[in-house]
Amino acid sequence: MTAFFTREDGRYTATRMAVSAWSSSQLAGTAVCGLLAHELETHSPGPEFVPARFTVDMFSPVLNEPIELHSSIARDGNRIRVVDASIVQQDQVRARATVQFLIAAAEPPGEIWQPTRDLPVPDQRLDRPEGAPPLFKSGSADWTHDFASGVNPHRKAAWNNVPPLIAGEPITPFERAAFAADTTNLVCNWGTAGVGYINTDVTMTLSRLPEGPEIGVHARDHVSANGIAVSTATLYDRTGALGVCTITALSNARRMVDMAAFAEAQSLPVVTS
């Protein structure tokens, strides 16, 4: 698998892998989140800091055209650094993001309530350095690469090994998590008629970065009314939960996404029989 973007003279150009399922002239939210995380991480204070909160506002379509990234440090301190970044096309800001880097420290003493988590993990390992197509799980069904498998009303999970984001550069744990965070819309809003909501934002909160190349997203909650959905998912790896993702999404009923058709167009695994 190739990378999602190439870089030349400080500008980024999307490959076919970054194209949106909603429109071939736009980029997928997963790729947008990953690219913004890439820019924000250039301002990381160091490995002792965790990118604890990452928020993306996607208020305009990011076009399948060359991209400029702008970023700046909004706040700097001994225990916290806040960084802003934006995607600029045609002299307009198309999407923006903020990250809070918090310094890691020892856990405080005492016992705190912990929820009971049942996070599904596939036996099959997706550990190739070049990445791999994702695995999907619906309800009690087995894990599968089949992009047609989610046409049902059951709780879903996705398991990812994200390919390199930028050509010639290894993907970082933060980029991997940011990319996967946008799949909250898929696992929470994929139903019997396809995906009918398009998310306008993503907020990912992390207590730690993912370990290894694999990362899972498990549907946690879905609330909808008036064509607006709020959904949350747990982000996790083979060692357990590492954070929570929240999205807000708008109904896009006139352009429902058929994931099987999208996968077939992208030459990804799909079984319809």
Side-chain angles (χ1 to χ4, degrees), residues 93-164:
V93 175
R94 295 278 172 173
R96 66 185 181 189
T98 298
V99 66
Q100 281 192 4
F101 291 101
L102 302 182
I103 196 164
E107 288 283 289
E111 295 183 4
I112 300 175
W113 170 85
Q114 296 290 334
T116 300
R117 295 189 180 96
D118 182 18
L119 297 172
V121 176
D123 293 332
Q124 179 183 352
R125 288 187 175 269
L126 304 182
D127 52 9
R128 295 186 300 176
E130 69 273 19
L135 287 165
F136 302 107
K137 182 176 177 61
S138 295
S140 59
D142 293 335
W143 288 95
T144 175
H145 285 295
D146 184 6
F147 274 77
S149 65
V151 185
N152 57 67
H154 306 308
R155 187 181 188 183
K156 296 176 178 65
W159 191 256
N160 308 271
N161 177 3
V162 183

Side-chain angles (χ1 to χ4, degrees), residues 151-219:
V151 185
N152 57 67
H154 306 308
R155 187 181 188 183
K156 296 176 178 65
W159 191 256
N160 308 271
N161 177 3
V162 183
L165 190 70
I166 312 297
E169 300 181 22
I171 190 167
T172 69
F174 180 41
E175 292 169 355
R176 191 186 307 280
F179 184 99
D182 189 71
T183 62
T184 299
N185 190 48
L186 180 62
V187 299
C188 291
N189 293 325
W190 190 3
T192 58
V195 182
Y197 288 95
I198 184 167
N199 57 303
T200 59
D201 65 9
V202 180
T203 294
M204 174 181 70
T205 52
L206 295 176
S207 62
R208 63 176 176 86
L209 288 168
E211 299 178 13
E214 299 170 298
I215 188 166
V217 184
H218 191 219

Side-chain angles (χ1 to χ4, degrees), residues 24-80:
S24 60
S25 66
Q26 301 172 14
L27 301 190
T30 48
V32 170
C33 289
L35 189 60
L36 286 164
H38 170 79
E39 178 67 15
L40 291 167
E41 198 168 26
T42 64
H43 298 286
S44 171
E48 69 277 16
F49 282 78
V50 175
R53 180 176 61 79
F54 169 71
T55 299
V56 180
D57 290 313
M58 295 180 282
F59 39 73
S60 295
V62 177
L63 305 175
N64 191 3
E65 298 178 2
I67 290 170
E68 293 181 13
L69 289 174
H70 297 175
S71 59
S72 61
I73 297 175
R75 166 69 165 83
D76 205 9
N78 294 329
R79 304 183 67 194
I80 181 172

Side-chain angles (χ1 to χ4, degrees), residues 208-233:
R208 63 176 176 86
L209 288 168
E211 299 178 13
E214 299 170 298
I215 188 166
V217 184
H218 191 219
R220 187 181 182 119
D221 200 3
H222 169 94
V223 180
S224 63
N226 306 307
I228 298 172
V230 178
S231 305
T232 59

